């Protein structure tokens, strides 16, 4: 089977559906043509000139990045602007560019889960509920002979998950009626006659983000030509999706020692801290990238919050409420996602070559002379 740009887009959407991205975000395919064949994919945090050069050198036909290359609209196509020149360069060389941004922040195994795992946290759960993590109840009606097949197909499409439990459904007996029209080819009953069919009502929870996949699975596995279904909106939030992550250290540590372990785990030259270095910490929250805006919503039981791009007033607000901070930089808290994307794509797209490009940290520490 030929791998195309669209193959990669669909694979990424299976992990981080674009519908989970925040309203203001720009995600998905931004440069390139969906039908173009792909053999090699370069992954990175940000599509920089250095990343583009590496893609050209390696012969990649596509770049999958966390940060969108097109975030603000291009108002001109002037080649004296470095960013515009980069976009034109990639388009001219037929290198497709795809971004999974805030949608990759909120999914299991994404930016924040990876950050929490890298820092050695245990009992990891999402930190802040995702505004796009709504759920629906999908209801359909199926002959008992096909219940197990349909339930399995919906579960394979990601439906029926409640916490740590999968294939969660409810079914009840009833009777369906239908009169097949002249052009119908009914699974049961006769054309032109009212048919009564013993059926089971099957109910299953579906994340709104994965509803298209669930409906596709339903139609493929259901024996009827025109399966009836109800989609009921719910107030429920899917607890699997959320911005940031929280967890605990195996043992309490001082803020100074934990900050040093963060620096080493993320392979950074330095981190910044806010709070008493001697303070004992164990309950940790993380948010990759610029997470200072989430400080007001951090639960009160959290000891220290690890993020990047912290501002003075954000640090001051944290001090006022007794929350310690570790600023590990925007790129420092997110750049490991490039390797995770490459590993995922190689696993789910057989025959694809995928390689991560990781630049060195942008900000360097200038220490005083000894």
């Amino acid at each position: 089977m030929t791998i195309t740009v669209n193959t990669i887009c669909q694979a990424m959407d299976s992990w981080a559906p674009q519908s989970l991205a925040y309203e203001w975000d720009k995600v998905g395919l931004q440069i390139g043509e969906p039908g173009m064949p792909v053999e090699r994919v370069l992954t990175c945090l940000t599509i920089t000139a250095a990343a583009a050069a590496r893609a050209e050198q390696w012969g990649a036909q596509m770049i999958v990045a966390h940060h969108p290359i097109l975030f603000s609209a291009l108002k001109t196509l002037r080649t004296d602007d470095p960013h515009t020149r980069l976009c034109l360069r990639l388009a001219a060389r037929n290198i497709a560019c795809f971004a999974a941004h805030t949608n990759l922040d909120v999914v299991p195994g994404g930016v924040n889960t990876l950050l929490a795992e890298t820092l050695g946290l245990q009992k990891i759960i999402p930190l802040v509920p995702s505004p796009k993590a709504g759920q629906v109840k999908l209801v359909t009606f199926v002959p008992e002979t096909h219940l197990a097949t349909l339930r399995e197909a919906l579960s394979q499409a990601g439906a029926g998950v409640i916490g740590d439990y999968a294939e969660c459904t409810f079914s009840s007996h009833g009777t369906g009626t239908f009169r097949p029209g002249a052009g119908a080819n009914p699974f049961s009953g006769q054309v032109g006659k009212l048919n009564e069919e013993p059926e089971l009502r099957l109910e299953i929870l579906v994340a709104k983000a994965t509803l298209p996949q669930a409906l596709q699975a339903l139609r493929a596995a259901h024996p009827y030509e025109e399966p009836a279904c109800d989609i009921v909106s719910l107030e429920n939030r899917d607890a699997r999706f959320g911005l940031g992550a929280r967890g605990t250290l195996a043992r309490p540590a001082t803020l100074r020692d934990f900050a040093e372990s963060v620096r080493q785990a993320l392979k950074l030259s330095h981190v910044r801290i806010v709070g008493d270095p001697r303070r004992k910490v164990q309950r940790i929250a993380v948010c990759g990238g610029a997470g200072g805006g989430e400080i007001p919503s951090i639960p009160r039981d959290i000891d220290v919050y690890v993020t990047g791009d912290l501002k003075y007033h954000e640090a001051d607000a944290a001090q006022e409420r007794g929350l310690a901070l570790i600023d590990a930089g925007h790129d420092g808290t997110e750049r490991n996602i490039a390797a995770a994307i490459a590993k995922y794509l190689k696993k789910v797209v057989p025959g694809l070559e995928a390689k991560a490009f990781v630049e060195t940290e942008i900000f360097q520490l200038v220490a005083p002379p000894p």
Side-chain angles (χ1 to χ4, degrees):
M1 183 184 72
T2 301
I3 302 171
T4 66
V5 167
N6 194 49
T7 306
I8 307 304
C9 295
Q10 290 180 342
M12 289 301 300
D13 285 348
S14 293
W15 179 13
Q18 295 182 42
S19 57
L20 285 175
Y22 282 53
E23 297 291 346
W24 47 262
D25 204 3
K26 305 292 188 295
V27 298
L29 183 63
Q30 297 193 305
I31 296 176
E33 195 274 311
M36 186 179 72
V38 173
E39 295 178 353
R40 292 180 172 180
V41 172
L42 187 79
T43 65
C44 61
L45 176 60
T46 305
I47 303 178
T48 60
R54 181 63 60 86
E56 293 168 352
Q57 179 186 27
W58 187 47
Q61 296 85 22
M62 187 172 184
I63 300 175
V64 175
H66 181 47
H67 294 146
I69 189 171
L70 293 172
F71 194 82
S72 300
L74 295 178
K75 296 182 179 180
T76 66
L77 294 178
R78 293 179 51 152
T79 54
D80 58 341
D81 174 74
H83 184 67
T84 303
R85 186 168 62 245
L86 175 61
C87 294
L88 292 172
R89 169 184 172 182
L90 290 162
R93 287 163 173 76
N94 288 324
I95 299 177
C97 296
F98 179 95
H101 193 209
T102 51
N103 48 327
L104 193 54
D105 287 330
V106 302
V107 295
V111 170
N112 291 296
T113 305
L114 178 62
L115 177 58
E117 291 173 346
T118 302
L119 300 186
L121 302 190
Q122 301 177 353
K123 301 178 181 178
I124 299 168
I125 59 173
L127 178 64
V128 180
S130 168
K132 305 297 287 294
Q135 291 182 303
V136 300
K137 181 167 68 173
L138 179 61
V139 182
T140 191
F141 309 89
V142 61
E144 188 169 0
T145 54
H146 287 72
L147 175 66
T149 299
L150 181 58
R151 181 172 54 214
E152 182 179 356
L154 289 170
S155 299
Q156 289 294 322
V161 176
I162 302 176
D164 292 330
Y165 295 84
E167 299 187 45
C168 301
T169 66
F170 180 81
S171 58
S172 55
H173 288 274
T175 302
T177 64
F178 53 88
R179 187 189 302 272
N185 182 25
F187 171 75
S188 62
Q190 298 181 31
V191 172
K193 293 185 178 181
L194 182 65
N195 182 65
E196 292 189 356
E197 180 74 22
E199 294 176 329
L200 287 172
R201 173 189 171 103
L202 176 66
E203 304 180 32
I204 189 167
L205 282 178
V206 183
K208 283 185 179 180
T210 59
L211 180 59
Q213 294 94 310
L215 289 174
Q216 183 179 9
L218 185 152
R219 296 187 184 101
H222 204 290
Y224 292 176
E225 283 186 300
E226 300 289 345
C229 66
D230 299 332
I231 300 170
V232 183
S233 293
L234 303 172
E235 293 296 323
N236 306 40
R237 294 281 184 182
D238 193 326
R240 293 174 297 166
F241 304 124
L243 184 64
R246 62 171 294 169
T248 60
L249 297 175
R251 294 179 298 278
T254 65
L255 177 59
R256 177 188 286 112
D257 288 344
F258 178 57
E260 174 59 17
S261 72
V262 170
R263 187 192 70 78
Q264 292 183 14
L266 300 180
K267 299 180 175 60
L268 301 173
S269 64
H270 66 285
V271 297
R272 301 189 300 166
I273 69 170
V274 175
D276 183 353
R278 299 165 296 178
R279 174 185 174 181
K280 292 285 188 178
V281 299
Q282 188 170 22
R283 296 180 295 273
I284 314 298
V286 305
C287 185
E294 302 301 326
I295 288 175
S297 59
I298 302 296
R300 290 283 175 174
D301 65 328
I302 292 296
D303 298 321
V304 58
Y305 179 43
V306 182
T307 188
D309 289 354
L310 287 170
K311 302 176 183 178
Y312 169 79
H313 292 293
E314 294 167 344
D316 184 57
Q319 278 196 311
E320 287 294 321
R321 54 169 286 183
L323 176 66
L325 302 174
I326 298 176
D327 186 339
H330 195 124
D331 59 328
T333 54
E334 290 188 329
R335 60 183 176 173
N336 284 347
I337 196 62
I341 296 172
K343 181 179 179 180
Y344 166 78
L345 288 175
K346 286 191 289 187
K347 178 181 178 181
V348 301
V349 185
L352 178 72
E353 293 185 63
K355 181 164 61 176
F357 173 70
V358 182
E359 294 190 73
T360 57
E361 56 185 306
I362 295 176
F363 295 101
Q364 298 291 324
L365 177 65
V366 178

